[in-house]
Amino acid sequence: MKYRTAARILLKTFTTKMGISAITEIEEVRIQGEKEDREESVLALLGIIGTILNLLVIIFVYIYTTF
């Protein structure tokens, strides 16, 4: 959301001065937002995988120590 707001501000600011420059800045902001969304998805997936592996280790240690 921050990037969309920043893009709107850039568009309003640069439209009167440098139209082409504003469009380029908006595209860069959009691309940066997409990259961050992708990074967040990967980190969330890694967190889920790590949690599952930790649970497996806890179960294994519990079984190993009780028998």
Side-chain angles (χ1 to χ4, degrees), residues 8 12-13 15 22 30 33 35 40 47-48 58-59:
R8 287 184 198 138
K12 289 178 183 177
T13 303
T15 302
R30 184 185 58 81
K35 285 181 183 178
E40 288 175 2
I48 292 169
I58 290 169
I59 292 169

Side-chain angles (χ1 to χ4, degrees), residues 45-62:
L45 183 62
L46 289 175
I48 292 169
I49 291 170
T51 302
I52 292 170
L53 290 175
N54 282 333
L55 287 173
L56 289 175
V57 167
I58 290 169
I59 292 169
F60 177 76
V61 169
Y62 176 76

Side-chain angles (χ1 to χ4, degrees):
M1 292 303 258
K2 292 185 268 184
Y3 299 106
R4 290 184 183 154
T5 305
R8 287 184 198 138
I9 292 169
L10 285 173
L11 181 61
K12 289 178 183 177
T13 303
F14 291 113
T15 302
T16 57
K17 296 179 183 177
M18 298 181 260
I20 296 172
S21 202
I23 294 171
T24 304
E25 291 291 325
I26 291 171
E27 286 298 315
E28 289 175 6
V29 168
R30 184 185 58 81
I31 291 170
Q32 182 68 23
E34 289 175 357
K35 285 181 183 178
E36 288 185 2
D37 288 343
R38 191 176 311 128
E39 289 174 3
E40 288 175 2
S41 298
V42 169
L43 289 175
L45 183 62
L46 289 175
I48 292 169
I49 291 170
T51 302
I52 292 170
L53 290 175
N54 282 333
L55 287 173
L56 289 175
V57 167
I58 290 169
I59 292 169
F60 177 76
V61 169
Y62 176 76
I63 291 172
Y64 184 74
T65 55
T66 56
F67 293 113

